[in-house]
């Protein structure tokens, strides 16, 4: 089973990403010690890292740089700070890809339109749309992770 390390300080987003990944039979671990992400990285030995930019103590760029000192594991930045400068910076620091979190923008645009019963269905749809990957894409991701992980050993 492939292991995904989630470095996200928003517990709700980390849990949503984790649940979606588990639906595809990935093992996940969400970082809890943002002072020492590398300790959890070393202990979990992930095949893939999902990394937010805005974190407590040190930002995602810093942790990506630290990961790159010891590993070539794929690092995908997942952040709502998706302007061009942040995307370029993420790639320059060693990130392999960047995925924009659109949840905040959608909620901000529609917060007055949500009803208590409608929020759950909207959240479910957004999470499904944002994090569901077709089987062929999952197979390509698994092959990419396997190739990257076997090359680093």
């Amino acid at each position: 089973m492939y292991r995904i390390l989630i470095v996200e300080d928003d517990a709700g987003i980390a849990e949503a990403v984790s649940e979606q990944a588990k639906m595809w039979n990935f093992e996940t671990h969400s970082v809890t010690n943002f002072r020492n992400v590398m300790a959890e990285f070393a202990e979990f030995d992930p095949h893939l890292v999902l990394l937010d930019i805005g974190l407590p103590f040190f930002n995602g760029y810093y942790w990506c740089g630290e990961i790159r000192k010891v590993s070539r594991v794929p690092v995908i930045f997942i952040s709502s700070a998706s302007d061009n400068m942040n995307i370029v910076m993420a790639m320059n620091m060693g990130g392999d890809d960047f995925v924009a979190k659109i949840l905040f923008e959608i909620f901000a645009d529609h917060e007055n339109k949500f009803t208590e019963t409608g929020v759950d269905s909207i959240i479910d749809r957004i999470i499904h749309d944002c994090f569901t990957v077709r089987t062929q894409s999952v197979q390509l991701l698994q092959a990419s992770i396997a190739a990257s992980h076997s090359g680093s050993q």
Side-chain angles (χ1 to χ4, degrees):
M1 182 179 293
Y2 291 111
R3 294 177 304 279
I4 300 175
L5 182 67
I6 302 167
V7 187
E8 166 63 63
D9 61 325
D10 184 313
I13 292 173
E15 181 64 26
V17 171
S18 178
E19 290 302 314
Q20 287 296 313
K22 288 176 182 175
M23 290 174 62
W24 290 96
N25 295 317
F26 291 110
E27 181 181 348
T28 65
H29 173 74
S30 295
V31 167
T32 57
N33 180 1
F34 293 99
R35 286 187 189 270
N36 193 1
V37 171
M38 290 307 292
E40 293 187 49
F41 174 86
E43 184 177 330
F44 190 61
D45 189 28
H47 297 105
L48 174 68
V49 176
L50 301 178
L51 181 61
D52 190 13
I53 293 173
L55 299 168
F57 308 109
F58 300 98
N59 64 31
Y61 305 131
Y62 171 82
W63 290 119
C64 187
E66 293 300 297
I67 290 168
R68 284 292 169 252
K69 290 178 184 176
V70 298
S71 176
R72 294 190 39 77
V73 65
V75 174
I76 299 175
F77 279 87
I78 298 181
S79 181
S80 59
S82 59
D83 58 277
N84 289 340
M85 189 60 176
N86 280 307
I87 295 169
V88 169
M89 185 77 163
M91 299 302 103
N92 284 340
M93 293 304 293
D96 295 290
D97 205 349
F98 192 104
V99 176
K101 285 192 262 183
I102 61 167
L103 300 176
F104 302 110
E105 291 83 5
I106 291 172
F107 288 142
D109 290 344
H110 301 293
E111 68 181 324
N112 294 329
K113 299 176 188 172
F114 290 161
T115 63
E116 192 167 289
T117 56
V119 171
D120 288 338
S121 64
I122 291 169
I123 291 173
D124 287 345
R125 181 182 56 79
I126 292 168
I127 290 172
H128 180 271
D129 291 349
C130 291
F131 299 110
T132 299
V133 182
R134 295 185 180 165
T135 303
Q136 182 181 18
S137 297
V138 170
Q139 291 169 345
L140 290 171
L141 176 62
Q142 289 172 334
S144 173
I145 293 169
S148 173
H149 194 65
S150 65
S152 65
Q153 292 181 350

